Amino acid sequence: MGARNRREPCRRCALPLSRSRFLQGSQDNVIQAFAFYLFATIVIASGALTIVSRNPVHSVLWLILAFFNAAGLMLLIGAEFIAMLLVIVYVGAVAVLFLFVVMMLDIDFAELRAGFTRYLPFGLLIAVVLLCEMIFAVGVWNFADIGPDTRMGTIDPDMPNIEAIGRALYDRYLLVFEGAGIVLLVAMVGAIVLTHRERGGVRPQNISKQIKRRPEDATRNTQPEVGKGVEL
Amino acid sequence: MTEFFQSLGMSFEWAWGVATIAGILLIALPLMLAVAMIIYADRKIWAAIALRKGPNVVGPFGLLQSFADGLKVFLQETIIPSAANRGLFLIAPIITFTVALIAWAVIPFGEDMVLANINVGLLYVLAASSLGVYGIVIAGWASNSKYPFYSALRGAAQMVSYEVSIGFVLLSVVMFAGSFNMQTIITAQQGHVFGFINGFAFNPLLFPMAVVFFISALAETARAPFDLTEAESELVAGYQTEYSSMSFALYWLGEYANVILMCALNAVLFWGGWLPPVDWAPLYVVPGIFWLFLKILIFFFIFSWVKATVPRYRYDQLMRLGWKVFLPLSLFWVVLVSGYLMLTRYGGVL
Amino acid sequence: MPETIAVDLAEYLPILLFLGIALLLSTAFVILPMIVARFTGASKPYANKLTEYECGFPAFEDSRGQFDVRFYLVAILFIIFDLEVAFLFPWAVTVFDMGWVAWGAMMVFLAELAIGLAYAWKVGALEWE
């Protein structure tokens, strides 16, 4: 289960494979730092452009860019599964939904943005609350002088990210996982209840009935005499 | 290859960089050449099935037909409709083609021949095909015209419906292989059936999933019989109606690159990838890349054969197939395969 | 920190380079014909050519037609099942080391979503797509 053949040295390969040498030396940290600042800057800029854009479709596209760079950030800390999942689920599913809605609804953005100053104090309040929560979440660790090793569980450096998540999720967090399933079920049922409308008077195709039809029921061989017709 | 460039006197980083870019070009350029040739092959195969001749004028046996078409398209005028959103209009085909290209970074061509041997290779391919939806949706919307818009929505809904069943099929394969790494999946197929046949599809528990994957790949790439987004009699050219010149050609290049990608994926996941069909020592003398190309060609022939043979699906029939047939089937199969593997690998009941 | 990462980050660099080169190639493919067309005189835009195509007639109505809620429903169902597949990914590689409890828990999860699918089917949300 989970054979890991990432670091095989290559002798006569056409494409470079063994790159563990790359993790030595200061060059690699420079690349990582550069990548981090690049991704982080683009995430923040895209996020800002999302709310500032006048065109709602442009907003969604900036959001997609933000998701991509967030996935890049995930890669930098080694959470490759989360990174791929961000792209598959967020960019591939959620943003598509956003795009569908925004494209079809023809939102009058100017009207929406007119209420900006009215809601500004409330928005600022929520932003401050979020900021405090984030400061508390991190500051508590720092205040109690808890080192990074005790903050998170021990990471097995040889285990791929997917396996590590799997072992945690289906072992310790089993009930939370089941709860997530219930949330998904409620979301599905809710979406259907809200959007489904009965369309009367439609005759859908009954595929099984069509397939069950036998030639004997559909056709009939006759031998009409010359000059005589066939009774249908 | 890094060592080769290093031997020329470059430092390790430079040698690695040049080697990687050489590797990338070694994938991208032959891929584009392959797409051109495979369009020609497609037309020749349809012609043969229809008892026609196909392209045979340009070049010997008509081999240069695709290049002539490409040249014609290159010299055309790029018409951007006045009401269209210029930036998005031009970005959409770029997205389609780019996404079709980058998915090839994780396909293994041989034992040590893969550009990026990442642990989540299969997820990366799934992510890349999820992104293909955007090329279509943005094209339809940016064209600012009714027919392309509706066609794009239907095309996107079609792609998205079959991605779910592809995801479940991939799960069955991953459960047998034990990893998402493409190389691991291939090496896990060595001698899988009876000890000497290489390939998951020969496993009776996985063969139905191979069939489901093949049909879902047909629907995902919008190939016949699921190509109603291109059905000329209904929607003109669908979301490509307003496109001309190279932006139009990029859609075709992207679609065929996706088709070849799906054939390659089929080969890698179910039929042994770069492994020879049977685990017989003399067959390994032939380089793996040859076996992979052979399998890709066989599957492309079947893709082409299907298009020339079967009639087109109507849209509601297509959606019915995706949601009511393939989704429950592949879901049930995941339960079946996992139960079987629990009994055989983990052993016993509790 | 690099010591505790279980992923070989250098493997992802070729992907980034590939992305850059692919974008470059695609953009070149789109921009070059436009430049060439200006030189060869093929670029002659005029009003009739630039209106959108509706079988030769001027457009009947606004291109943003009616909102069809079925596409929205398909997108939501896709999100739900995509998330289900996402939960299945780590399970598929670890369940064979973790025992029947993990397997059973996932079966319960799949049953929940199968109920959702059955409901959607019964109510007719999957019809006339």
Side-chain angles (χ1 to χ4, degrees):
Chain A
M1 309 335 116
R4 296 164 277 268
N5 57 345
R6 292 190 313 279
R7 294 173 199 252
E8 289 149 10
C10 120
R11 272 162 280 276
R12 40 157 189 81
C13 58
L15 296 160
L17 189 59
S18 162
R19 278 171 277 240
S20 34
R21 269 185 62 185
F22 227 147
L23 287 179
Q24 298 165 5
S26 58
Q27 262 88 350
D28 187 59
N29 280 333
V30 169
I31 296 183
Q32 281 194 349
F34 172 71
F36 169 74
Y37 282 115
L38 178 71
F39 289 148
T41 316
I42 300 185
V43 165
I44 297 180
S46 314
L49 280 163
T50 306
I51 51 180
V52 161
S53 267
R54 253 168 285 174
N55 188 337
V57 174
H58 289 175
S59 286
V60 176
L61 294 177
W62 286 122
L63 188 64
I64 293 174
L65 186 63
F67 285 149
F68 267 121
N69 287 278
L73 285 172
M74 290 293 163
L75 273 178
L76 282 175
I77 57 173
E80 47 184 3
F81 175 62
I82 307 279
M84 291 299 152
L85 219 53
L86 264 172
V87 177
I88 294 177
V89 175
Y90 265 122
V91 180
V94 174
V96 169
L97 175 70
F98 286 175
L99 217 51
F100 273 8
V101 173
V102 157
M103 283 179 178
M104 286 197 280
L105 277 188
D106 206 11
I107 303 170
D108 188 1
F109 227 43
E111 208 177 279
L112 277 181
R113 287 167 61 83
F116 185 69
T117 38
R118 220 169 12 129
Y119 294 115
L120 187 61
F122 190 60
L124 274 179
L125 178 67
I126 296 194
V128 165
V129 166
L130 272 174
L131 183 64
C132 289
E133 285 182 5
M134 282 197 270
I135 293 178
F136 285 153
V138 179
V140 157
W141 295 113
N142 286 334
F143 188 70
D145 267 336
I146 298 181
D149 303 317
T150 11
R151 281 188 210 189
M152 29 190 207
T154 43
I155 302 178
D156 182 357
D158 278 330
M159 191 181 297
N161 185 237
I162 300 188
E163 271 191 52
I165 290 184
R167 277 176 206 276
L169 191 59
Y170 302 107
D171 199 357
R172 278 192 63 179
Y173 298 99
L174 201 62
L175 289 178
V176 183
F177 159 67
E178 297 292 348
I182 303 273
V183 169
L184 286 175
L185 177 62
V186 169
M188 206 191 316
V189 171
I192 294 173
V193 163
L194 285 175
T195 58
H196 186 62
R197 299 167 309 185
E198 284 299 319
R199 281 163 215 262
V202 181
R203 276 187 70 192
Q205 192 182 12
N206 192 335
I207 307 262
S208 44
K209 198 162 118 179
Q210 279 181 317
I211 297 179
K212 270 194 297 208
R213 207 165 89 129
R214 289 163 23 236
E216 300 88 63
D217 306 323
T219 57
R220 171 173 59 106
N221 289 329
T222 57
Q223 281 280 9
E225 293 160 15
V226 175
K228 293 223 159 86
V230 179
E231 191 75 33
L232 277 176
Chain B
M1 223 173 3
T2 314
E3 291 92 36
F4 169 68
F5 284 110
Q6 268 188 293
S7 67
L8 292 181
M10 297 187 209
S11 69
F12 176 74
E13 286 79 21
W14 276 105
W16 185 89
V18 174
T20 309
I21 297 202
I24 292 176
L25 291 175
L26 260 177
I27 297 182
L29 297 176
L31 178 65
M32 294 201 279
L33 183 64
V35 166
M37 284 288 95
I38 219 137
I39 296 180
Y40 165 79
D42 216 9
R43 292 168 71 170
K44 275 296 210 188
I45 295 173
W46 296 335
I49 295 180
L51 296 179
R52 288 183 287 116
K53 267 195 153 357
N56 64 346
V57 176
V58 188
F61 299 108
L63 280 169
L64 298 180
Q65 179 69 45
S66 293
F67 300 102
D69 286 334
L71 190 63
K72 171 199 83 171
V73 152
F74 188 83
L75 294 174
Q76 274 177 349
E77 175 190 355
T78 307
I79 303 176
I80 305 182
S82 49
N85 188 327
R86 283 187 84 96
L88 288 180
F89 190 79
L90 291 176
I91 285 180
I94 294 179
I95 295 180
T96 307
F97 191 57
T98 304
V99 156
L101 273 185
I102 60 171
W104 282 88
V106 295
I107 304 279
F109 295 99
E111 181 148 11
D112 282 324
M113 295 157 91
V114 57
L115 184 64
N117 193 13
I118 55 179
N119 260 341
V120 285
L122 205 51
L123 285 186
Y124 174 79
V125 173
L126 195 59
S129 44
S130 302
L131 295 177
V133 178
Y134 283 105
I136 299 180
V137 174
I138 294 180
W141 190 83
S143 301
N144 208 357
S145 166
K146 259 209 316 282
Y147 296 113
F149 185 55
Y150 283 121
S151 162
L153 282 182
R154 284 168 33 156
Q158 169 188 336
M159 274 189 83
V160 137
S161 307
Y162 284 86
E163 250 162 52
V164 188
S165 47
I166 286 186
F168 283 117
V169 166
L170 296 185
L171 271 169
S172 305
V173 172
V174 164
M175 280 197 275
F176 266 100
S179 161
F180 283 91
N181 188 327
M182 302 284 259
Q183 282 285 34
T184 312
I185 293 178
I186 293 183
T187 46
Q189 295 182 48
Q190 201 164 7
H192 182 73
V193 181
F194 297 136
F196 66 91
I197 305 185
N198 295 336
F200 277 147
F202 299 103
N203 182 342
L205 204 52
L206 274 180
F207 182 71
M209 286 296 106
V211 173
V212 169
F213 181 80
F214 184 80
I215 304 178
S216 297
L218 274 177
E220 171 93 7
T221 51
R223 284 277 297 195
F226 306 110
D227 60 349
L228 32 62
T229 51
E230 304 163 6
E232 291 90 19
S233 49
E234 293 176 23
L235 290 166
V236 194
Y239 61 90
Q240 299 167 11
T241 310
E242 301 291 345
Y243 279 88
S244 55
S245 181
M246 251 346 230
S247 7
F248 174 70
L250 272 185
Y251 276 113
W252 282 101
L253 290 179
E255 176 182 326
Y256 276 94
N258 257 329
V259 167
I260 308 182
L261 175 73
M262 283 296 163
C263 295
L265 212 56
N266 201 352
V268 162
L269 288 176
F270 289 102
W271 303 87
W274 49 261
L275 290 168
V278 211
D279 198 13
W280 187 43
L283 286 177
Y284 284 92
V285 171
V286 181
I289 197 168
F290 165 76
W291 292 115
L292 183 64
F293 285 171
L294 183 67
K295 291 170 195 174
I296 293 179
L297 285 173
I298 293 178
F299 290 123
F300 183 75
F301 177 77
I302 304 181
F303 263 58
S304 208
W305 187 2
V306 167
K307 169 147 184 168
T309 314
V310 297
R312 201 169 269 143
Y313 261 62
R314 213 174 52 223
Y315 192 68
D316 59 307
Q317 295 168 332
L318 185 158
M319 291 303 235
R320 176 198 155 268
L321 189 68
W323 288 102
K324 293 192 180 179
V325 176
F326 283 164
L327 179 57
L329 185 65
S330 41
L331 193 52
F332 168 70
W333 221 262
V334 165
V335 175
L336 195 66
V337 168
S338 66
Y340 169 77
L341 285 175
M342 279 300 280
L343 287 170
T344 53
R345 272 191 208 171
Y346 187 74
V349 182
L350 282 162
Chain C
M1 191 168 82
E3 304 82 17
T4 60
I5 302 182
V7 63
D8 197 357
L9 273 182
E11 299 276 358
Y12 283 92
L13 212 44
I15 293 184
L16 206 56
L17 287 173
F18 203 162
L19 180 63
I21 293 186
L23 276 172
L24 213 66
L25 269 170
S26 316
T27 318
F29 267 143
V30 170
I31 302 290
L32 273 175
M34 294 175 72
I35 299 179
V36 167
R38 276 182 221 287
F39 284 123
T40 59
S43 169
K44 279 199 193 61
Y46 52 89
N48 259 343
K49 194 157 56 163
L50 293 178
T51 49
E52 54 262 14
Y53 181 74
E54 192 157 329
C55 299
F57 296 104
F60 283 128
E61 37 180 89
D62 182 39
S63 66
R64 306 282 178 264
Q66 265 188 329
F67 174 71
D68 204 344
V69 79
R70 287 195 298 242
F71 293 110
Y72 177 72
L73 203 50
V74 167
I76 289 209
L77 285 175
F78 172 57
I79 294 181
I80 305 283
F81 284 101
D82 213 18
L83 281 169
E84 181 180 348
V85 174
F87 272 116
L88 277 164
F89 284 139
W91 175 82
V93 291
T94 54
V95 66
F96 306 118
D97 300 325
M98 286 176 52
W100 289 94
V101 178
W103 187 84
M106 181 52 86
M107 292 304 122
V108 172
F109 179 79
L110 288 179
E112 286 167 8
L113 284 161
I115 292 178
L117 181 63
Y119 171 73
W121 191 323
K122 186 80 201 330
V123 163
L126 302 175
E127 291 284 332
W128 309 303
E129 298 279 8

